[in-house]
Amino acid sequence: MARTPGSTPLFPDRDDALRNTPAHYLVAHSDGGARGNPGPAGYGVVIHDQSGKKVAHLSEYLGHQTNNFAEYQGLIAALEFAVKHGPKALKLISDSELLVRQIKGIYKVKNPALKDLHARAKELIAQLDWFQIGHALREQNRDADRLANEAMDKGMGRNAGTDHVATGASPVRPLPNPDMQSELEGVMRNGVVELTSGKLPEGTRVQVRPRK
């Protein structure tokens, strides 16, 4: 990729990337899928900081779409989070080799439905100070895959988990404090625990201990 004087390449070589890695950056694991392809679709994104601390998780049901459409929406959600919340430095990890190679310019974007999404992603990347993208196997992207499937379940009216934030429907929220402990009362109805006293932030993980 040609450089203009004084510019930084969008995808530097490995040695340049290692030397120029900023002190503070985000790492986003992104996944998208569609059941039937096309079919009910959703994406999931798990975001950490450079030290490995979880910052946020994002997911959304996308209606009747393709796998590739959902993969791009996950990428765009991660980019928008970095642009809005900072730091404006992001390492994106996806299990879609097609998406990674298209963003890097190795593959051309031929699908008309993806061209606008590709252009939007490039527009957001240009607003960042630093960006890397890489491919990972699905087994290394399990949390993002789980969130994508939960979004699809919710959109299809199935009993999905609550460990996600639906972007577009509500603001992005930081993860709840994992050390938070409370004594709460609840009752099981139709396979779902309903609290009868106290409140918990959406997305809070809990352990249920039945009482006799």
Side-chain angles (χ1 to χ4, degrees):
M1 184 180 294
R3 304 189 193 192
T4 56
S7 69
T8 301
L10 186 58
F11 298 103
D13 60 38
R14 184 175 181 276
D15 291 338
D16 284 345
L18 291 174
R19 283 193 297 269
N20 296 328
T21 300
H24 301 285
Y25 60 94
L26 300 174
V27 179
H29 287 260
S30 174
D31 190 28
R35 293 172 181 166
N37 195 30
Y43 71 76
V45 181
V46 180
I47 300 177
H48 300 77
D49 65 15
Q50 72 285 342
S51 69
K53 179 183 177 182
K54 274 189 179 180
V55 175
H57 45 198
L58 323 171
S59 68
E60 185 175 8
Y61 177 65
L62 302 170
H64 193 84
Q65 299 292 349
T66 65
N67 282 333
N68 291 334
F69 181 94
E71 294 281 9
Y72 263 97
Q73 291 288 3
L75 166 64
I76 289 170
L79 289 167
E80 288 179 340
F81 182 93
V83 168
K84 181 176 180 180
H85 298 279
K88 292 188 177 182
L90 177 68
K91 179 178 181 180
L92 191 288
I93 299 171
S94 171
D95 58 25
S96 170
E97 187 173 4
L98 176 71
L99 178 143
V100 172
R101 288 176 177 263
Q102 285 182 341
I103 292 297
K104 286 187 172 183
I106 300 171
Y107 290 168
K108 291 183 179 180
V109 183
K110 298 179 180 180
N111 188 313
L114 299 182
K115 286 185 176 179
D116 287 344
L117 297 177
H118 183 267
R120 173 59 177 161
K122 285 298 189 71
E123 176 185 312
L124 289 165
I125 291 169
Q127 297 178 45
L128 298 176
D129 299 324
W130 181 85
F131 177 75
Q132 280 189 5
I133 188 168
H135 178 256
L137 299 177
R138 184 172 294 275
E139 306 85 74
Q140 299 169 309
N141 223 23
R142 289 178 180 174
D143 287 347
D145 177 72
R146 174 180 55 81
L147 288 175
N149 277 286
E150 286 182 0
M152 287 182 266
D153 285 340
K154 185 175 181 180
M156 296 169 68
R158 297 180 179 177
N159 187 19
T162 59
D163 190 22
H164 71 278
V165 177
T167 56
S170 60
V172 174
R173 301 175 185 173
L175 289 172
N177 184 348
D179 297 324
M180 180 177 59
Q181 296 181 352
S182 300
E183 288 292 331
L184 301 171
E185 294 289 336
V187 62
M188 179 74 74
R189 291 194 180 94
N190 299 320
V192 178
V193 176
E194 297 180 3
L195 293 180
T196 56
S197 67
K199 294 182 179 180
L200 287 173
E202 183 178 351
T204 301
R205 292 180 179 272
V206 298
Q207 287 186 335
V208 178
R209 296 180 180 177
R211 292 182 178 177
K212 294 181 180 180

